[in-house]
Amino acid sequence: MGNPSQPVRWPREQAAHLLARAGFGATPDQVEASAQAGLFPTVENLLRVGSDEDLFPPEDSFADKAPYSAALKEIAGLRNDPEAQRQARRRLRIMENSALADLRAWWLQRLRHSPHPLREKMTLFWHGHFATSVEKTRSVYLLWRQNELFRMHALGNFGELARAIPSDPAMMRYLDIAGSSKEHPNENFAREVMELFLLGEGHYTEEDIREAARAFAGWRINPASQMAAPVQRKMDDGEKKLFGQVGRFGATDAVDVILSRPQCAPFIAGKVWKFFAGRDPTPRTLGRLAERFRASRFDTSRLLRAVFLEEEFYSPAVMGTQIKSPVEWLVGAAIRLEEPISGSPAELAALDALGQKLFQPPNVRGWEGGKSWMSVSAFLSRCNLAYSLFLTGGGQKSRLFPEEVRKSPEAVVASTEQRLFPMRVSSSAHAKLVDFAKAHSFPADEKTVRELLRFAMTLPEFQLT
């Protein structure tokens, strides 16, 4: 799309669209800066990431494995005292619940405040793609490590991430591969790797599943270190036939064979496109994306660059049509209102009420997304939460609007639309905002500004990005 050697200004709406989809939204000043810079520099800036660990140090409650390992050891030592063991398990649950709240708060702050929003957006994507829930893993420490794994590979090589998944302790627990052995290989895990993670449904045989299960068998989690390691006596080092290839495949070899299948590149490219575009790509677009992804040997940054430079990404069918996920809604509202997020109990409860609990996707397929986010009750919850989270006290919202903007209903409405909506609102929505503003006193004081923002955030357009 366009000429990368010409970083000329591009339409503001397209800049706002990209910043909303590749991250979680932007302030009017950030949108204007991207519009002035041009499409190609903006895309390159999104893909250019650095370290931000010093800004988001992990809490000991979830990053220190020692208390968790000690609790497991205590429980194991009480096997002859059922009541004492029950009490020890209860203490462990309380500790884990507190750690989970801390972990969710830590990531929510990072989603809001990271200087590298695309990396966090892709970390969220991988969390839904390689879905793993605390309900099954029962270890907040392992989920934190998995989250860091996703972040490390978020914009890197997909093949490296795929090879790491079979020995990721959180995944091993979630899909029961920690108990897989050459005598009893876990075929369910092998099936999910092919169907959900790498190829898509129907692109494998039952024989492929059985042979891959043998290759994945034999890994165990060390209780003390909470690290995964192969146990030779549990592994199957025999010859295997996988997708017509024969060899003494181990876990990494099996992933490499699956990655080489022709369906892998279009499957992943299609999922990434749909996550950012909100709809399936046209066959032509998918073909281009898959070919570039395959040619780059699964370089995720190159795939994303192709997505964000694709003409279809800026088509009317894509722009302003995607229903925001609860995380996108919450983080995006905070960004547009220039409010911080602390990961408070109220913020975490809001995500729970809206149906997206971080580290607790509903099943191995992750969140369905799309229209599933927007029931009548969910819409009403968003309207109520917008007010309770962002518009009841706190910072002065009138600071977002220069004094000259607040002199007339038309001016303050135009500024409100520019701040809250990446796309232009419909003529009917604009008329509603103007009529609402005219019912208040002007120049607009703090109360009028808050009420106008509240009303704008109840419009259906605010639920879209």
Side-chain angles (χ1 to χ4, degrees), residues 290-327:
E291 179 54 36
R292 291 175 185 175
F293 193 38
R294 186 184 297 109
S296 72
R297 298 185 178 182
F298 299 104
D299 186 316
T300 303
S301 285
R302 293 192 182 185
L303 171 60
L304 291 172
R305 181 181 289 108
V307 167
F308 300 144
L309 296 180
E310 176 60 49
E311 188 173 356
E312 186 185 346
F313 190 70
Y314 300 92
S315 68
V318 172
M319 293 178 62
T321 61
Q322 186 179 36
I323 297 174
K324 297 174 184 176
S325 71
V327 168

Side-chain angles (χ1 to χ4, degrees), residues 54-176:
D54 58 323
L55 300 177
F56 309 99
E59 299 284 343
D60 288 343
S61 61
F62 57 79
D64 183 1
K65 66 177 180 292
Y68 179 74
S69 298
L72 291 180
K73 185 176 181 180
E74 178 188 14
I75 291 170
L78 294 171
R79 63 175 59 92
N80 295 323
D81 189 340
E83 177 57 27
Q85 190 177 67
R86 187 180 69 82
Q87 292 297 327
R89 290 185 184 279
R90 180 176 176 275
R91 290 192 295 273
L92 175 60
R93 284 196 301 272
I94 293 173
M95 180 178 70
E96 284 285 277
N97 287 340
S98 176
L100 179 60
D102 290 344
L103 178 61
R104 285 172 167 160
W106 172 82
W107 193 17
L108 192 56
Q109 291 178 63
R110 199 163 188 168
L111 288 163
R112 163 62 180 95
H113 296 286
S114 174
H116 308 296
L118 178 56
R119 181 166 60 192
E120 292 308 310
K121 194 73 172 278
M122 278 303 294
T123 301
L124 185 63
F125 170 78
W126 294 129
H127 177 39
H129 181 75
F130 295 111
T132 312
S133 172
V134 68
E135 289 186 344
K136 185 74 177 287
T137 63
R138 297 188 180 279
S139 171
V140 178
Y141 171 74
L142 294 184
L143 287 172
W144 166 68
R145 276 182 35 200
Q146 185 188 69
N147 184 259
E148 292 284 35
L149 175 70
F150 292 155
R151 184 170 293 103
M152 179 173 65
H153 294 290
L155 304 180
N157 186 274
F158 172 69
E160 292 181 9
L161 176 57
R163 295 182 196 102
I165 288 299
S167 58
D168 171 66
M171 182 62 72
M172 289 173 67
R173 281 196 174 184
Y174 187 63
L175 290 182
D176 302 310

Side-chain angles (χ1 to χ4, degrees), residues 35 43 52-53 92 119 121 126-127 141 146 149-150 192 225 231 250 282 292 302 316 331 357 402 434 437 441 454:
V43 171
D52 63 359
E53 287 84 355
L92 175 60
R119 181 166 60 192
K121 194 73 172 278
W126 294 129
H127 177 39
Y141 171 74
Q146 185 188 69
L149 175 70
F150 292 155
E192 305 297 18
S225 68
V231 178
T282 62
R292 291 175 185 175
R302 293 192 182 185
V331 175
K357 297 181 180 181
V434 172
S441 59
R454 178 186 185 184

Side-chain angles (χ1 to χ4, degrees), residues 222-280:
N222 183 293
S225 68
Q226 292 294 296
M227 299 291 288
V231 178
Q232 193 61 42
R233 70 179 186 279
K234 299 290 185 180
M235 303 185 77
D236 186 335
D237 59 1
E239 195 172 78
K240 306 167 186 74
K241 185 178 181 181
L242 184 58
F243 292 101
Q245 299 187 41
V246 178
R248 298 183 182 277
F249 301 133
T252 299
D253 305 314
V255 170
D256 283 338
V257 171
I258 300 170
L259 287 170
S260 71
R261 301 300 295 162
Q263 298 86 1
C264 184
F267 176 67
I268 299 301
K271 285 200 70 172
V272 169
W273 170 272
K274 188 171 185 178
F275 179 77
F276 286 99
R279 59 194 297 123
D280 292 325

Side-chain angles (χ1 to χ4, degrees), residues 162-428:
R163 295 182 196 102
I165 288 299
S167 58
D168 171 66
M171 182 62 72
M172 289 173 67
R173 281 196 174 184
Y174 187 63
L175 290 182
D176 302 310
I177 195 177
S180 185
S181 66
K182 62 182 177 182
E183 294 85 7
H184 302 287
N186 183 328
E187 294 185 7
N188 180 59
F189 176 75
R191 186 184 303 277
E192 305 297 18
V193 166
M194 296 181 198
E195 179 177 329
L196 300 180
F197 299 164
L198 299 182
L199 296 179
E201 189 173 357
H203 298 300
Y204 50 85
T205 67
E206 291 301 314
E207 180 186 19
D208 294 325
I209 291 172
R210 288 192 295 271
E211 296 296 275
R214 293 174 57 204
F216 292 132
W219 286 74
R220 296 293 182 270
I221 302 172
N222 183 293
S225 68
Q226 292 294 296
M227 299 291 288
V231 178
Q232 193 61 42
R233 70 179 186 279
K234 299 290 185 180
M235 303 185 77
D236 186 335
D237 59 1
E239 195 172 78
K240 306 167 186 74
K241 185 178 181 181
L242 184 58
F243 292 101
Q245 299 187 41
V246 178
R248 298 183 182 277
F249 301 133
T252 299
D253 305 314
V255 170
D256 283 338
V257 171
I258 300 170
L259 287 170
S260 71
R261 301 300 295 162
Q263 298 86 1
C264 184
F267 176 67
I268 299 301
K271 285 200 70 172
V272 169
W273 170 272
K274 188 171 185 178
F275 179 77
F276 286 99
R279 59 194 297 123
D280 292 325
T282 62
R284 185 178 178 183
T285 294
L286 179 59
R288 284 197 295 265
L289 295 176
E291 179 54 36
R292 291 175 185 175
F293 193 38
R294 186 184 297 109
S296 72
R297 298 185 178 182
F298 299 104
D299 186 316
T300 303
S301 285
R302 293 192 182 185
L303 171 60
L304 291 172
R305 181 181 289 108
V307 167
F308 300 144
L309 296 180
E310 176 60 49
E311 188 173 356
E312 186 185 346
F313 190 70
Y314 300 92
S315 68
V318 172
M319 293 178 62
T321 61
Q322 186 179 36
I323 297 174
K324 297 174 184 176
S325 71
V327 168
E328 290 171 322
W329 177 86
L330 178 64
V331 175
I335 290 172
R336 289 183 172 90
L337 295 174
E338 299 183 34
E339 291 290 337
I341 279 182
S342 64
S344 67
E347 292 162 351
L348 297 178
L351 289 182
D352 290 355
L354 297 177
Q356 192 172 26
K357 297 181 180 181
L358 294 175
F359 302 103
Q360 203 169 345
N363 53 55
V364 70
R365 293 180 179 273
W367 291 282
E368 182 181 348
K371 293 180 180 179
S372 70
W373 295 129
M374 197 46 62
S375 63
V376 173
S377 61
F379 175 71
L380 293 175
S381 293
R382 290 188 183 205
C383 296
N384 293 329
L385 288 167
Y387 184 73
S388 63
L389 289 174
F390 299 113
L391 300 174
T392 55
Q396 292 285 306
K397 297 300 180 291
S398 55
R399 64 183 166 76
L400 303 175
F401 302 93
E403 186 175 350
E404 60 272 17
V405 165
R406 290 186 275 122
K407 290 181 179 180
S408 73
E410 292 79 5
V412 76
V413 165
S415 188
T416 297
E417 291 175 351
Q418 190 177 62
R419 176 167 293 278
L420 294 184
F421 304 98
M423 306 300 104
R424 291 180 182 175
V425 300
S426 65
S427 57
S428 61

